[in-house]
Amino acid sequence: MDAHALNGRYAAGWRRNPHSLRSRIRILIVIVLAVALMVLAGAILRFVYVTEQAAWRGRQSEAAANAATTVAAFMSRVEDSLGVAALMVTHAPRNASGVLQSLLARNPALVEIVHLSRDGTIFTSAAVGNDVLTNLFTIPQSQWFIRASQGDHYRSGVEVSPTDDLYMVVAAPDGMSGVVAARVDMRVLLQVVNNIRFGASGRAYVIDSDGRVVAHTAPNMVAKQVSLSGSPEFAAIRSAPDHVWYGTYANLDGATVVGASAAIRGTSWIVVTELPSNEAFRTTYTALLALSGGLLVFGVLLSLALTKALDLQILQPLEDLRIGAQRVGAGDLSYRVRVQRRDEIGLLAATLNDMVTQLKDRDLQLARRADQLAAEVTERTRVQEALHRANEELEARVAERTAELSRLNAQLQMEMAERQQAMQAIEVSLREKEVLLKEIHHRVKNNLQVLSSLLSLQAGSETDGAVLLALEDSQNRVRSMAMIHEKIYRSESLAAIDFGEYVRDLAGHLFDAYDAVARSIFLRMNVDRVSLSIETAVPCGLLLNELLSNCFKHAFPHGQGGQISIDLHRSTVDDNAVLTVTDNGAGLPDDFDISSCSTLGLRLVRILVDQIDGRLELLKRTTGTSFRIQFPVPVGPDAQANVSPAIAEQPADTARALSPEAASPWIGAGRSTAPLWRTEERPET
Amino acid sequence: MLWHVRAACLHLCCLVTMFACAPSTPTGPVTASEITLYDWAGDIPEEVVRAFTEEFGVHIHCVTYESQEEAIESMRAGVAYDVVVMESRFIPLLVAEGLLAPIKGENVPNFKNISPGFRDLAYDPGNRYSVPYTWGVTGLIVRTDLTLPPVQHWADLWDKRHAGRIGIWMGQRREVIAIALKSLGYSGNSENPAELSAALDRLLALKPSMVVLEDIDPEDASAALASEQVTVAMGYASDFSAAKEKGLSVEFVYPEEGALLWGDVFVIPARNHDKLTAEAFVNYLLRPEVAAQIVNLRRWATANEAARAHISSEVLSDPTVYPPIDWMRSAELILPLSAAGQRLYDRVWRDFVAGD
């Protein structure tokens, strides 16, 4: 519930609000009063009850004792009559009947008296009304006769006749050897008991030692042989000394009573007196009613008075304060609470009024501060708007630049795509050209082979030795060129060939051509793996051809054997390669000058060395000749020299085996039956 | 007792006019749906039992015995019964053995109908355990046409002229000894050793003249008399009636020394099914009209004084059922014995049976 709603409800009626302080204090007052008054009432009632109980206990015990005395007196009167009867009939047997009659007349409780012999024969008898004892034929077997014969004073239980008459048989020895017995009308005892009165409705009755009712104000209680046996109060009575007991219980009629008991002297009987508990507690009940009523009225009045005082002293001023606070809360700062007191509430009111005054001042200060704040807020708003605008411009520029970059990027991607297409086209074109180049090299090789075959044919038909030699030289030169082209189109790269491998093939071919094995000329090769471009490889090939041909033709004259060494090394310090061809043959004349020699072979060697920017040296030796050519090798992907393991000196036929048969089909063909026009299968591109 | 059981069969056909009686309101609550009655065969009539069942809704399960000894042994064995008909002389024995439950007088208000002569007797002081039911006399039945000397005393049995014609029920040992005591002028319940010694001599003297009725096995005394094997026999009123019905010239003699009385009572065993219902049944049997109905049917005298008004005049005037009071003054109820007395009686009986 919010404060406003609470206020509204208070304004609607604070006196009726069950949650109000007023209600709670009122309930507290009522509870405290109720408890205090109840405790007080309880104490008073307890006092009244105890006092009354003590009084009744005394009175009732006295009544029980009196009743017991009365009943005992009755019984002793009966016993006395019996004794008198015995005395008189034994001393005056002749007038026994008259004596007994007069006894019956004097004691109304006795209705029959008999005097019997020791064997049960009746001497004399007298009765009022019917004879009962006289007409029994079981006297000798009866308890009363047997017990009296033995000298006891016998008293039977209360007997009920078919007509609900109540009687008792008493018997006693007659002092001689007979028995005197009498029938006692219990109505007389009932009358005796009925006359016992105490309080307004207190009654007494007699029970025997078994709890059976012997005499009662209600005769049918006796006739019905009602018994207390089995009830807790009877157990208590029986176990109490002298059967003197006092207690509250439900009696035979079912009513709650306060009872007291006492033994009847001379008998085994007990007298019980009973007083209805509402009578026994009458004073207590009256006190309870009076106290309840009085305290109720007193409590109500006190509670009302306390509530009124509470209203006037506390709650009404509090309500005024609340109204004041509500008015102030609603904004009325001119309102002042009108409580003129010096106590806590007065102080509270004064404080509230002070607070309102201060609030008013504070209100003014707040108004001023609010104006300042409003101005500040306006300024800040303006600055904020300017910042906002600048920000928007910046964002527009960024967007523009971003768009431009996107466009450039798209353009770039388009160009890249175009370039890629161009690259692919170049790639295709390159591949086509490679194929074409391989084809060209193949054709050139074939053509050179045809040319070689033609020179071979021509040599076959020539008889002049010099011409024959020239043709063979030319044929070897053409072969050496054709081998270059073959190596090129068989190689992976069309730009360069493995020159080492070429040297082995060429040397093999020349050893065949000059029948070196038969002449006991051996070849020793120590060749690195050196890649050479076609521009360098062709002159180098021709150059080697010339040097080796020169060796075979001139170094070993007159069937002389020997060794030719070929060394090809790549320099480890620069991009040069060194080719050395050495023989241990006849050697050159000492005055031989390589630069002035005019033979075709050496002229060709010089020209070819120049062509490859190389340098030719003739190394001086004691035996044989050694030519050393140093030439530059451009650095390429394959240019790095891989030095093959050195090949030991070997005979020329072994060296020939180094050339694979498939790699040089023309070697055999050139000397046998291979057709001139035969061309190699074109290698797969 | 065996005797009057047999006689009862003869009386079954003797239906006497029933007195109209207004049904009494039930007294006392019943808390069981069935109780057990343990009784002589043919004692309490079926009509009586059925009427109780109709009124109270309680079924009576009837169990019969042949002798008191059998009944006592059954109770000792722990068999539960609710109401037992018992001969009064056994009550102290049963009480001492704890076999009986005390009867609450409050639950049996019809006890007031019992005659003063049967209240508070020696066998049950204050009637705490028993309610008197029937009674009768053991006397002598005499064939008047065959007997020469008149029989008026117990002592007449020792008259030699009756030798070999005197019927004695050896099963009734207390009665047999009592006859001898009475013939000598002593109490039939005497525990005096000298008197008992004299009685033994009397019995031994009688022995040659006796016909032991169990040996000839008649249905009852009347049958023995009819066969003319005996001319004088111990007997009950019912035997006398039976003999008369047989057309015999007989007389029922109350010996002048005093006839012998017997009494039957109702008891409730300690081991029972429902004591409250048992008490309600006993109370019902004590109603004057119910007690009279039994008397009219069975011809046993009742201890119920209030029933007299409902008993047929024919039964009331029958001196063998209800003898005049003067005849009864000398009669004696057979009472229980003390332990010492019992031992004496046992010795007398042993010597009597063994002697000659």
Side-chain angles (χ1 to χ4, degrees):
Chain A
M1 185 181 291
D2 61 51
H4 186 73
L6 199 67
N7 265 338
R9 214 174 71 179
Y10 266 99
W14 60 277
R15 284 171 191 275
R16 290 189 300 276
N17 180 4
H19 300 292
S20 70
L21 193 60
R22 183 176 192 265
S23 304
R24 279 185 280 171
I25 291 176
R26 205 165 172 178
I27 289 167
L28 192 66
I29 287 171
V30 169
I31 290 171
V32 168
L33 273 179
V35 170
L37 294 178
M38 276 164 70
V39 169
L40 184 67
I44 293 170
L45 281 175
R46 177 78 195 155
F47 176 74
V48 172
Y49 173 79
V50 168
T51 311
E52 192 179 26
Q53 285 308 294
W56 272 115
R57 186 173 191 147
R59 254 180 286 173
Q60 229 177 317
S61 299
E62 196 182 333
N66 289 342
T69 309
T70 309
V71 174
F74 168 80
M75 290 309 297
S76 97
R77 214 160 45 243
V78 169
E79 297 275 346
D80 290 349
S81 299
L82 211 57
V84 170
L87 203 65
M88 293 183 77
V89 294
T90 50
H91 287 88
R94 275 181 292 180
N95 193 25
S97 181
V99 168
L100 296 184
Q101 285 291 354
S102 66
L103 269 176
L104 291 182
R106 263 185 286 168
N107 192 338
L110 301 180
V111 289
E112 188 177 5
I113 303 184
V114 288
H115 181 218
L116 305 105
S117 70
R118 59 181 299 176
D119 61 359
T121 310
I122 294 167
F123 288 141
T124 322
S125 70
V128 179
N130 292 332
D131 291 332
V132 172
L133 300 179
T134 320
N135 288 330
L136 300 180
F137 54 85
T138 53
I139 288 171
Q141 293 87 46
S142 297
Q143 278 288 107
W144 58 266
F145 180 78
I146 294 170
R147 295 281 299 279
S149 304
Q150 292 164 352
D152 291 341
H153 283 253
Y154 181 77
R155 196 175 292 124
S156 78
V158 176
E159 302 289 352
V160 189
S161 80
T163 50
D164 286 345
D165 290 332
L166 303 173
Y167 68 92
M168 188 175 69
V169 177
V170 290
D174 66 354
M176 306 294 282
S177 59
V179 167
V180 187
R183 204 149 53 85
V184 181
D185 186 354
M186 294 302 283
R187 279 179 304 188
V188 180
L189 181 61
L190 294 189
Q191 197 59 47
V192 169
V193 168
N194 214 16
N195 288 338
I196 299 170
R197 290 291 166 91
F198 59 95
S201 52
R203 293 288 183 273
Y205 59 92
V206 180
I207 55 174
D208 66 14
S209 56
D210 289 334
R212 195 187 145 188
V213 176
V214 171
H216 200 279
T217 48
N220 66 340
M221 285 283 189
V222 188
K224 284 182 179 170
Q225 306 183 45
V226 173
S227 174
L228 290 187
S229 69
S231 68
E233 55 272 14
F234 178 65
I237 288 170
R238 234 166 65 154
S239 57
D242 280 343
H243 304 316
V244 174
W245 179 80
Y246 180 81
T248 304
Y249 55 91
N251 73 355
L252 294 167
D253 298 323
T256 305
V257 294
V258 179
S261 68
I264 297 171
R265 206 159 29 81
T267 70
S268 61
W269 293 350
I270 300 160
V271 71
V272 180
T273 58
E274 286 177 354
L275 185 73
S277 64
N278 56 9
E279 186 184 338
F281 301 119
R282 184 164 295 159
T283 312
T284 310
Y285 291 143
T286 312
L288 178 66
L289 279 176
L291 270 175
S292 304
L295 290 178
L296 187 68
V297 171
F298 176 70
V300 168
L301 289 176
L302 191 60
S303 139
L304 287 174
L306 282 173
T307 311
K308 187 68 190 168
L310 186 72
D311 281 356
L312 284 176
Q313 288 300 313
I314 300 170
L315 296 173
Q316 187 58 55
L318 277 181
E319 175 65 6
D320 291 345
L321 281 170
R322 190 193 64 76
I323 290 167
Q326 193 179 11
R327 291 279 293 272
V328 171
D332 184 2
L333 294 180
S334 63
Y335 185 81
R336 292 294 179 273
V337 181
R338 284 182 246 294
V339 177
Q340 301 296 329
R341 288 154 62 134
R342 290 184 180 179
D343 57 10
E344 288 84 347
I345 292 175
L347 278 173
L348 183 62
T351 310
L352 185 72
N353 286 339
D354 285 352
M355 188 187 79
V356 172
T357 310
Q358 284 173 11
L359 269 179
K360 204 169 178 180
D361 292 348
R362 186 69 55 86
D363 212 21
L364 287 171
Q365 286 175 10
L366 279 175
R368 281 199 295 277
R369 180 85 186 122
D371 288 345
Q372 288 171 3
L373 277 174
E376 275 178 31
V377 167
T378 311
E379 178 59 21
R380 282 197 188 169
T381 310
R382 199 181 53 71
V383 170
Q384 202 170 358
E385 279 173 0
L387 278 172
H388 187 66
R389 274 198 301 279
N391 194 28
E392 279 177 347
E393 279 173 21
L394 206 58
E395 278 179 4
R397 254 185 254 169
V398 168
E400 200 177 321
R401 183 66 53 88
T402 307
E404 195 176 343
L405 283 173
S406 301
R407 189 163 42 76
L408 286 174
N409 191 32
Q411 200 173 341
L412 204 58
Q413 277 179 351
M414 208 159 67
E415 280 174 12
M416 277 171 69
E418 282 170 8
R419 189 162 302 174
Q420 202 165 359
Q421 279 176 355
M423 289 281 282
Q424 282 170 355
I426 287 166
E427 189 90 5
V428 170
S429 166
L430 185 64
R431 214 165 294 138
E432 283 171 359
K433 279 176 183 148
E434 277 176 359
V435 171
L436 202 57
L437 202 57
K438 278 192 178 179
E439 183 64 27
I440 287 167
H441 280 295
H442 197 211
R443 294 260 174 107
V444 169
K445 189 267 293 183
N446 283 349
N447 289 342
L448 290 174
Q449 220 167 337
V450 169
L451 190 59
S452 172
S453 299
L454 286 172
L455 289 172
S456 182
L457 283 173
Q458 197 171 1
S461 58
E462 195 57 58
T463 55
D464 185 356
V467 175
L468 202 61
L469 279 173
L471 283 173
E472 279 181 358
D473 284 346
S474 296
Q475 193 185 349
N476 285 337
R477 283 168 192 143
V478 170
R479 276 264 164 97
S480 68
M481 284 169 69
M483 281 171 75
I484 294 289
H485 285 285
E486 189 184 13
K487 287 286 172 202
I488 281 182
Y489 85 73
R490 286 188 190 276
S491 75
E492 289 288 322
S493 157
L494 290 170
I497 59 164
D498 182 358
F499 195 68
E501 193 183 311
Y502 173 77
V503 168
R504 274 190 289 274
D505 288 353
L506 183 65
H509 168 73
L510 289 177
F511 263 65
D512 281 349
Y514 287 103
D515 205 7
V517 176
R519 291 161 61 188
S520 300
I521 297 166
F522 296 96
L523 176 64
R524 191 192 64 82
M525 281 197 297
N526 189 2
V527 180
D528 285 353
R529 186 182 181 125
V530 178
S531 289
L532 294 180
S533 66
I534 191 146
E535 289 83 8
T536 314
V538 173
C540 274
L542 285 173
L543 198 151
L544 185 62
N545 183 59
E546 289 308 319
L547 289 175
L548 285 174
S549 299
N550 190 52
C551 285
F552 285 124
K553 280 188 281 190
H554 304 294
F556 306 105
H558 316 301
Q560 183 185 345
Q563 180 181 284
I564 299 168
S565 297
I566 304 168
D567 291 275
L568 178 62
H569 295 296
R570 198 180 173 103
S571 168
T572 53
V573 291
D574 51 22
D575 293 337
N576 289 333
V578 177
L579 177 66
T580 313
V581 177
T582 310
D583 67 81
N584 57 355
L588 293 169
D590 294 335
D591 58 346
F592 182 79
D593 183 7
I594 196 166
S595 56
S596 61
C597 185
S598 61
T599 63
L600 178 62
L602 285 173
R603 232 173 44 222
L604 267 171
V605 168
R606 275 202 310 275
I607 292 163
L608 290 168
V609 167
D610 287 343
Q611 201 174 329
I612 61 173
D613 293 335
R615 191 157 56 87
L616 178 68
E617 284 175 88
L618 179 61
L619 300 176
K620 294 290 185 202
R621 295 173 53 105
T622 52
T623 56
T625 312
S626 182
F627 290 95
R628 185 170 181 269
I629 300 143
Q630 188 175 351
F631 60 93
V633 180
V635 178
D638 305 304
Q640 187 158 8
N642 289 325
V643 180
S644 307
I647 296 168
E649 202 170 292
Q650 55 191 316
D653 59 348
T654 310
R656 189 183 163 194
L658 291 171
S659 301
E661 194 65 29
S664 55
W666 51 274
I667 291 176
R671 297 166 64 92
S672 60
T673 57
L676 285 174
W677 58 86
R678 181 182 170 200
T679 57
E680 280 295 315
E681 285 293 320
R682 276 200 288 181
E684 291 294 319
T685 57
Chain B
M1 261 300 176
L2 196 63
W3 235 19
H4 69 197
V5 172
R6 291 173 180 175
C9 303
L10 297 173
H11 286 283
L12 281 174
C13 51
C14 299
L15 293 176
V16 184
T17 313
M18 304 245 307
F19 284 79
C21 46
S24 311
T25 49
T27 47
V30 292
T31 49
S33 59
E34 184 182 279
I35 56 171
T36 305
L37 170 67
Y38 197 32
D39 195 3
W40 302 97
D43 181 16
I44 295 178
E46 203 186 320
E47 298 92 310
V48 171
V49 168
R50 202 165 47 230
F52 177 78
T53 302
E54 279 170 16
E55 185 176 332
F56 289 86
V58 177
H59 177 70
I60 306 289
H61 178 54
C62 294
V63 181
T64 60
Y65 54 75
E66 288 291 320
S67 68
Q68 291 288 285
E69 288 73 20
E70 179 193 335
I72 291 167
E73 285 308 319
S74 178
M75 286 164 71
R76 277 176 178 156
V79 181
Y81 303 106
D82 294 290
V83 176
V84 180
V85 174
M86 185 61 53
E87 218 175 325
S88 59
R89 68 183 75 161
F90 294 106
I91 301 305
L93 173 75
L94 297 176
V95 171
E97 291 188 19
L99 294 173
L100 299 186
I103 295 170
K104 201 169 182 186
E106 214 173 332
N107 296 335
V108 191
N110 286 340
F111 188 88
K112 69 182 183 181
N113 297 329
I114 297 296
S115 159
F118 288 94
R119 298 187 189 193
D120 199 18
L121 296 185
Y123 63 82
D124 185 18
N127 290 99
R128 293 160 76 95
Y129 295 97
S130 66
V131 173
Y133 169 39
T134 53
W135 62 274
V137 164
T138 305
L140 291 171
I141 306 168
V142 181
R143 278 285 292 261
T144 49
D145 54 337
L146 297 175
T147 316
L148 289 172
V151 175
Q152 287 177 337
H153 303 88
W154 291 113
D156 291 338
L157 296 178
W158 279 264
D159 189 325
K160 291 295 176 191
R161 287 172 291 180
H162 297 296
R165 293 291 181 92
I166 301 164
I168 298 291
W169 293 101
M170 291 291 274
Q172 312 288 318
R173 58 172 78 176
R174 280 296 304 277
E175 272 81 359
V176 172
I177 295 173
I179 287 168
L181 286 167
K182 282 289 205 187
S183 74
L184 293 165
Y186 305 138
S187 162
N189 293 308
S190 172
E191 294 186 12
N192 186 320
E195 292 173 3
L196 281 166
S197 179
L200 174 61
D201 292 342
R202 286 286 275 178
L203 286 174
L204 290 172
L206 183 65
K207 204 170 178 183
S209 314
M210 278 169 41
V211 174
V212 177
L213 290 177
E214 281 87 349
D215 291 346
I216 60 171
D217 195 25
E219 278 181 21
D220 56 26
S222 71
L225 290 165
S227 69
E228 298 189 2
Q229 285 180 290
V230 296
T231 52
V232 184
M234 284 170 69
Y236 302 131
S238 54
D239 299 327
F240 172 69
S241 302
K244 282 205 357 185
E245 275 170 24
K246 289 188 169 106
L248 303 176
S249 300
V250 286
E251 187 186 17
F252 191 82
V253 175
Y254 287 85
E256 283 182 11
E257 299 99 323
L260 300 175
L261 270 174
W262 54 263
D264 276 1
V265 295
F266 297 117
V267 294
I268 298 175
R271 186 178 281 267
N272 58 63
H273 298 108
D274 190 273
K275 183 164 172 267
L276 210 56
T277 310
E279 287 170 337
F281 182 53
V282 170
N283 192 51
Y284 171 81
L285 293 171
L286 291 180
R287 287 182 188 175
E289 60 276 12
V290 176
Q293 188 185 2
I294 297 169
V295 175
N296 290 333
L297 286 169
R298 295 285 185 257
R299 296 181 86 91
W300 313 130
T302 179
N304 193 318
E305 187 184 66
R308 268 183 173 272
H310 304 283
I311 297 172
S312 74
S313 55
E314 189 257 326
V315 174
L316 273 180
S317 62
D318 182 346
T320 56
V321 180
Y322 280 105
I325 179 73
D326 290 338
W327 295 11
M328 296 299 295
R329 290 218 185 267
S330 55
E332 201 173 357
L333 184 69
I334 299 297
L335 291 176
L337 299 168
S338 68
Q342 185 66 54
R343 280 195 296 277
L344 279 174
Y345 273 68
D346 288 345
R347 199 181 310 149
V348 168
W349 189 255
R350 193 189 59 216
D351 292 349
F352 167 54
V353 172
D356 46 20

